[in-house]
């Protein structure tokens, strides 16, 4: 039988690793159960059975991992209690005294981890503009073990070349991990472009309803780094609860439909505001005048459900716009069915690379015309 298409795999799973957890539940054949037991009865304490204790393995988590692994066409997926726990596990898994290269405008929380926790563990971190291949080439050191790439970056929407950076990273004997949260695997599959790992904050598009926190690392192939990540999951213990895993499984069924619709609306909003009297610039990878558009089309094949608006005026004008919207809730996070708006500079503070007049929009499933009207009235209110 031919390989199942992405939409079918979202619902029926896949079985790339021969793991039965990837297939429909054998009892119901439809919705899987939630395995809440924290421990498993054994006849002999020396048993090396699959399920011993829920932190080390749990059928609901295993089912989620198998489902996510199939979506990125990976070798194995390791689920965590948040996206931050997933990125932290990879950093902790690196050999002592490692050098890490990171996209300078990656998600702010990832940069906080690297600068304020990972650097204190004896690793060295270099933050660079990964859109520039020459900068990437020059950043490698003898002990570089990881390149952490985010493309498009959050919230500046800069686009880096996954294929070329993957090739450079492999030449230097390091590993490449892409944070694929913003793009989502509906539009972009970094492992197919040469990345060794990809990471998602499942809190975002995977969950999709702003009611579950989670994260996942997916590996392209077996490695000692992957083994160490699995060990950190089981022994470090930042695991998602069975109920959270079940919520994610339920939400994944609608991932493609949600993300496609959200992306269409985001495109409509981006186009509407691209020549607007109150807008200085629209940052949206789906617009042909975006500097990363052509490259993005070769790796993401679409815009995204996220865009940033640089409003005319200063930080206070941008804050006023965010305070004046009705359907865009002023809240952090992204990828949910409800649209959100956020003034990132206020959240990130003075060390932020984010322009003070930037507003990040996460476009939900409301009608695009209502969202446009909402932004129009908020811009008019802020500019009177
Ligand atoms: N990566 C990106 C791109 C994010 O936007 C976020 C959260 O906003 C994370 C990672 C961290 O994920 P979590 O909030 O689930 O820890």
């Amino acid at each position: 039988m031919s390989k199942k298409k992405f939409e079918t795999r979202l619902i029926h799973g896949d079985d790339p690793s021969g793991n039965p957890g990837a297939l429909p539940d054998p009892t119901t054949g439809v919705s899987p159960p939630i395995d809440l037991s924290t421990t498993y009865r054994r006849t002999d304490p020396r048993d090396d059975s699959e399920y011993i204790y829920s932190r080390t393995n749990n059928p609901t988590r295993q089912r989620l991992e198998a489902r996510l692994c199939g979506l990125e066409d990976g070798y194995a997926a390791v689920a965590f209690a948040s996206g931050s726990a997933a990125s932290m596990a990879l950093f902790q898994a690196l050999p002592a005294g490692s050098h890490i290269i990171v996209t300078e405008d990656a998600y702010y929380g990832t940069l906080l981890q690297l600068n304020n926790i990972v650097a204190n563990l004896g690793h060295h971190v270099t933050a660079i503009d990964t859109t520039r291949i020459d900068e990437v080439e020059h950043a490698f050191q003898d002990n570089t073990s990881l390149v952490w790439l985010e493309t498009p970056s959050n919230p500046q929407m800069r686009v880096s070349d996954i294929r070329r950076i993957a090739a450079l990273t492999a030449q230097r004997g390091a590993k490449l991990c892409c944070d694929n949260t913003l793009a989502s695997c509906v539009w972009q599959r970094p492992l197919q472009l040469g990345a060794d790992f990809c990471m998602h904050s499942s809190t975002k598009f995977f969950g999709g309803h702003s009611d579950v926190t989670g994260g996942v690392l997916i590996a392209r192939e077996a490695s000692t780094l992957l083994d160490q990540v699995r060990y950190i999951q089981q022994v470090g213990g930042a695991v998602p609860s069975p109920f959270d895993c079940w919520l994610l499984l339920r939400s994944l069924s609608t991932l493609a439909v949600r993300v496609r619709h959200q992306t269409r609306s985001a495109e409509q909003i981006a186009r509407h505001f691209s020549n607007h009297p109150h807008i200085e610039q629209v940052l949206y990878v789906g617009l042909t005048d975006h500097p990363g558009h052509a490259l993005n089309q070769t790796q993401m094949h679409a815009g995204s459900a996220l865009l940033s608006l640089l409003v005319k005026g200063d930080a206070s004008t941008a804050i006023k716009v965010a305070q004046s919207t009705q359907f865009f809730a002023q809240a952090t996070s992204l990828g949910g069915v409800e649209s959100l708006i956020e003034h990132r500079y206020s959240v990130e503070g003075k060390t932020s690379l984010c322009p003070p007049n930037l507003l990040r929009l996460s476009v939900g499933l409301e009608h695009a015309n209502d969202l446009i009207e909402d932004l129009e009235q908020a811009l008019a209110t802020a500019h009177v």
Side-chain angles (χ1 to χ4, degrees):
M1 198 171 159
S2 62
K3 187 172 166 59
K4 284 174 260 168
K5 301 279 186 297
F6 184 75
E7 291 75 4
T8 311
R9 281 185 278 152
L10 279 169
I11 293 161
H12 295 284
D14 200 1
D15 192 11
S17 57
N19 179 351
L23 299 172
D25 176 64
T27 314
T28 66
V30 189
S31 177
I34 309 175
D35 288 277
L36 289 172
S37 186
T38 55
T39 192
Y40 296 83
R41 192 167 181 156
R42 287 184 290 163
T43 48
D44 185 327
R46 292 162 299 185
D47 271 0
D48 194 16
S49 45
E50 200 176 4
Y51 305 114
I52 294 172
Y53 187 56
S54 186
R55 169 161 49 74
T56 42
N57 200 7
N58 167 283
T60 316
R61 187 173 91 214
Q62 197 177 29
R63 184 179 294 278
L64 173 68
E65 288 178 339
R67 185 72 49 96
L68 293 173
C69 184
L71 298 183
E72 287 278 8
D73 289 312
Y75 166 77
V78 188
F80 290 90
S82 67
S84 304
S87 53
M88 203 55 212
L90 187 61
F91 301 144
Q92 285 172 325
L94 297 173
S98 282
H99 174 243
I100 303 162
I101 299 171
V102 61
T103 302
E104 65 181 356
D105 61 327
Y107 167 59
Y108 192 64
T110 308
L111 297 174
L112 290 181
Q113 285 188 339
L114 287 168
N115 293 329
N116 301 339
I117 304 176
V118 177
N120 294 340
L121 301 175
H123 297 310
H124 295 100
V125 180
T126 307
I128 56 159
D129 178 357
T130 49
T131 66
R132 295 193 40 189
I133 288 293
D134 57 331
E135 276 207 34
V136 179
E137 257 174 325
H138 288 123
F140 279 97
Q141 298 177 9
D142 289 344
N143 59 341
T144 303
S145 57
L146 182 71
V147 178
W148 183 277
L149 198 64
E150 193 177 302
T151 178
S153 62
N154 173 12
Q156 298 208 58
M157 312 295 162
R158 294 197 202 151
V159 180
S160 301
D161 191 330
I162 301 176
R163 287 184 187 85
R164 286 183 73 188
I165 296 174
L168 278 176
T169 307
Q171 266 167 28
R172 303 301 296 253
K175 301 283 186 196
L176 173 65
C177 181
C178 284
D179 184 337
N180 205 27
T181 304
L182 228 76
S184 96
C185 54
V186 175
W187 298 132
Q188 181 168 274
R189 314 264 164 78
L191 303 185
Q192 306 310 301
L193 306 175
D196 301 284
F197 289 88
C198 73
M199 174 267 177
H200 286 266
S201 164
S202 316
T203 317
K204 308 300 186 311
F205 291 105
F206 287 175
H209 296 74
S210 309
D211 55 9
V212 56
T213 304
V216 66
L217 277 169
I218 306 169
R220 180 164 50 86
E221 58 187 19
S223 66
T224 50
L225 192 57
L226 170 63
D227 293 343
Q228 187 63 8
V229 165
R230 177 68 77 191
Y231 187 78
I232 289 168
Q233 177 204 39
Q234 296 176 337
V235 178
V239 291
S241 75
F243 183 60
D244 285 351
C245 293
W246 183 87
L247 273 177
L248 284 169
L249 280 164
R250 193 185 65 155
S251 296
L252 283 173
S253 307
T254 56
L255 178 75
V257 181
R258 283 187 280 112
V259 170
R260 290 207 177 103
H261 191 99
Q262 288 169 264
T263 303
R264 266 200 305 277
S265 297
E267 268 167 20
Q268 213 175 312
I269 293 169
R271 259 185 264 115
H272 180 91
F273 288 101
S274 44
N275 283 308
H276 191 278
H278 294 323
I279 297 293
E280 186 182 295
Q281 200 183 350
V282 176
L283 306 181
Y284 186 64
V285 289
L287 292 177
T288 48
D289 62 356
H290 184 286
H293 176 75
L295 172 60
N296 199 62
Q297 286 302 105
T298 70
Q299 50 192 31
M300 195 171 155
H301 312 296
S304 96
L306 246 86
L307 67 146
S308 294
L309 299 179
L310 302 185
V311 299
K312 279 193 185 151
D314 55 12
S316 61
T317 323
I319 291 169
K320 187 85 203 301
V321 175
Q323 287 170 334
S324 308
T325 48
Q326 185 193 346
F327 298 127
F328 281 92
Q330 192 181 190
T332 200
S333 203
L334 57 100
V337 295
E338 49 298 278
S339 294
L340 304 180
I341 188 165
E342 194 177 33
H343 184 242
R344 288 300 299 172
Y345 185 78
S346 298
V347 175
E348 297 180 8
K350 294 221 172 337
T351 56
S352 170
L353 290 178
C354 192
N357 60 338
L358 181 147
L359 288 171
R360 186 185 72 188
L361 308 183
S362 172
V363 177
L365 287 179
E366 302 91 342
H367 198 288
N369 292 352
D370 288 334
L371 295 176
I372 289 171
E373 205 176 301
D374 191 23
L375 289 166
E376 283 284 8
Q377 67 75 24
L379 284 163
T381 308
H383 282 89
V384 282

